[in-house]
């Protein structure tokens, strides 16, 4: 029964997990309550996290808020290294992750705007290549795991740059192959099966390498690639179920 349930969770696209989760996270939180893992976003502890991903990763999806490893890492980073919880900010969150959304909505210092083409969490339905916002409008922008789905990612980066105020910052993470110097893309790879094989997921259009930083700089950003994981102890990384490897790209206009 348990393995059937975990299998099912892994098969459901995250878009639908968002809707289902509102019904189930409360039940999961009770069922999974324990002391082996802790989620810094929903601030609950569990005896296990859900297994998730392709290939499947053990203990990665928080039963309390559906955060993954990278979300928990970013949340720590926001707290430790940015003004996210301190200053009054106008925030644009593109493709809002549910784990963040629930918490940010309750933050009094954040003037919170969400945008996406289809997410039920988005207030403003919009194409990232043509955002319906003024120049210099936002203090902070979050847009994770979106650009790998966008044909003209340069245009999307330029739009992100445009709507940010001078000196504003953004987090725009993408799935990466850290062994790759140069991003791999090939417009002839179009079938879902081939895209999964070469880019890692059926609807990804490229596989970013370490030149991701260069691409962002070409769009106008000042970029710091921060290996924040190296500042955390092994015990903490295990307890919070953080990524094995992740660079946080902190972009400034
Ligand atoms: Zn959580």
């Amino acid at each position: 029964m348990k393995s059937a349930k975990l299998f099912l969770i892994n098969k459901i696209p995250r878009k639908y997990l968002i809707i289902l989760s509102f019904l189930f996270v409360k039940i999961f939180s009770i069922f999974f309550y324990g002391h082996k893992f802790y989620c810094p976003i929903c601030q609950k502890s569990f005896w296990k996290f859900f297994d998730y991903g392709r290939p499947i990763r053990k203990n990665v999806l928080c039963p309390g808020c559906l955060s993954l490893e990278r979300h928990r890492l970013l949340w720590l980073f926001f707290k430790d290294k940015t003004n996210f919880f301190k200053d009054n900010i106008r925030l644009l969150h593109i493709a809002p992750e549910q784990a963040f959304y629930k918490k940010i909505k309750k933050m009094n210092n954040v003037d919170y705007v969400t945008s996406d083409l289809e997410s039920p969490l988005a207030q403003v339905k919009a194409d990232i290549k043509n955002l319906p916002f003024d120049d210099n409008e936002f203090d902070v922008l979050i847009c994770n795991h979106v650009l790998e789905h966008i044909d003209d990612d340069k245009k999307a980066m330029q739009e992100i740059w445009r709507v940010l105020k001078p000196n504003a910052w953004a987090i725009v993470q993408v799935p990466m192959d850290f062994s790759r110097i140069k991003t791999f893309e090939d417009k002839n790879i179009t079938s879902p099966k081939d895209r999964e094989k070469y880019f890692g997921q059926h609807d990804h259009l490229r596989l970013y390498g370490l030149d991701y930083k260069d691409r962002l700089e070409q769009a106008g950003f000042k970029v710091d690639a921060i290996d924040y994981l190296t500042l955390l102890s092994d015990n903490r990384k295990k307890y919070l179920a953080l990524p094995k490897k992740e660079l946080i790209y902190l972009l400034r206009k």
Side-chain angles (χ1 to χ4, degrees), residues 38-44 46 49 62-67 72 99:
Y38 178 75
C39 173
I41 302 178
C42 64
Q43 298 175 308
K44 290 176 183 152
F46 303 98
F49 283 170
C62 172
C65 69
L66 302 183
S67 66
R72 293 186 288 276

Side-chain angles (χ1 to χ4, degrees), residues 26 35 47 57 72 102 107 110 121 127 142-143 149 158 162 165 186 188 197 201 205 232 247 249:
K26 280 203 164 64
H35 298 288
W47 65 272
R57 307 188 301 283
R72 293 186 288 276
K102 279 183 171 176
M107 288 167 59
V110 178
L121 301 181
D127 179 350
I142 301 171
C143 174
H149 300 271
Q158 287 167 341
R162 181 184 67 76
K165 292 178 186 172
D186 181 343
N188 296 316
K197 182 177 167 193
Q201 193 172 302
L205 305 186
L232 307 173
L247 288 177
Y249 290 87

Side-chain angles (χ1 to χ4, degrees), residues 115 196 223:
S115 179
E196 173 145 9
V223 184

Side-chain angles (χ1 to χ4, degrees), residues 97-113:
E97 298 100 325
Q98 192 199 0
F100 291 158
Y101 173 82
K102 279 183 171 176
K103 297 293 281 194
I104 297 171
K105 234 175 30 167
K106 292 181 187 156
M107 288 167 59
N108 290 327
N109 66 314
V110 178
D111 176 10
Y112 189 31
V113 181

